[in-house]
Amino acid sequence: VSAIKATNGKGTIKVTGIIEEEEMDGRGHKLKRSSSAKASVENVLTVLKKFLDVDSNEYDIHLNFPGGIPIDGPSAGIAIATAVYSAIKGIPISSDIAMTGEISIRGKVKPVGGVVAKVEAAKLAGIKKVLIPKENWQELFRDMSIEVIPVEDISEVIDITFGRKIKKPEEISIKNPATNIAAASAHNMTGA
């Protein structure tokens, strides 16, 4: 991720290296959908603005997903958020930390698939610490010779990654009452 302060306060978002549309085989039918990685980037920008007071509109941001193959965007949610935060704040991320987890627009870290294999791959790559969704925690992680840290929300991810304490999503009050009503309605409809 690269972030450069926009000169006119109207920043841009550029996402490269991913396929704009992914084709999936739906039992003999070709289905096209927008890349989930691109959707995850948009979700992350909302979370950064809402919970970390990082306004992406003030920056020209370029995210590159090398390889040009379909990316499982949701699993990369907290990694994308951390990379964008790092680029905007100019704070490097240690090369001995890895992470996986989807991020909700409420700043919560949601479970993902393949976590055991991801932790094993991180261990083989020499990673010392892996952040995973709390809901993906398994006792077998205690005996894997790698520090596996379950996290529940973006504040924990930022705190562990950068050593900075920030407010948890539930501690942040939304200033716009209309947004509170819409959020409450959405919460009641989805049960999330």
Side-chain angles (χ1 to χ4, degrees):
V1 176
S2 169
I4 301 168
K5 190 81 168 164
T7 55
N8 58 4
K10 295 183 181 184
T12 60
I13 305 296
K14 185 176 185 180
V15 181
T16 58
I18 60 173
I19 297 171
E20 289 291 327
E21 289 185 339
E22 299 167 340
E23 284 192 15
M24 302 174 353
D25 189 358
R27 293 186 222 181
H29 297 80
K30 293 263 182 175
L31 305 172
K32 285 189 175 184
R33 66 179 183 138
S34 295
S35 168
S36 62
K38 198 163 191 173
S40 289
V41 169
E42 292 169 7
N43 190 37
V44 159
L45 297 177
T46 299
V47 169
L48 291 175
K49 185 173 185 175
K50 187 173 179 180
F51 300 113
L52 302 179
D53 199 27
V54 173
D55 189 355
S56 62
N57 293 328
E58 297 177 15
Y59 297 88
D60 291 325
I61 300 172
H62 182 173
L63 295 97
N64 183 45
F65 294 86
I69 58 172
I71 303 289
D72 182 14
S75 289
I78 64 173
I80 295 168
T82 304
V84 172
Y85 185 85
S86 169
I88 288 175
K89 296 294 187 178
I91 308 167
I93 300 171
S94 173
S95 61
D96 65 356
I97 190 167
M99 59 192 72
T100 187
E102 182 175 354
I103 191 163
S104 77
I105 60 170
R106 289 185 171 74
K108 298 295 184 187
V109 179
K110 307 304 283 178
V112 295
V115 174
V116 173
K118 291 173 184 177
V119 171
E120 288 173 347
K123 181 181 169 185
L124 289 173
I127 299 296
K128 305 280 187 244
K129 189 184 303 185
V130 181
L131 308 183
I132 66 166
K134 185 175 182 179
E135 292 179 54
N136 283 120
W137 174 258
Q138 297 178 37
E139 284 300 315
L140 66 93
F141 293 133
R142 293 190 194 282
D143 302 321
M144 290 186 74
S145 304
I146 185 172
E147 185 179 6
V148 180
I149 304 170
V151 292
E152 290 185 278
D153 59 55
I154 190 62
S155 66
E156 290 179 79
V157 173
I158 298 300
D159 180 37
I160 293 165
T161 305
F162 301 106
R164 294 181 162 203
K165 291 281 186 196
I166 61 169
K167 288 184 178 181
K168 291 184 158 290
E170 59 271 9
E171 297 172 346
I172 297 171
S173 65
I174 300 171
K175 295 174 182 78
N176 181 347
T179 306
N180 282 338
I181 293 167
S185 296
H187 177 76
N188 290 335
M189 289 179 8
T190 62

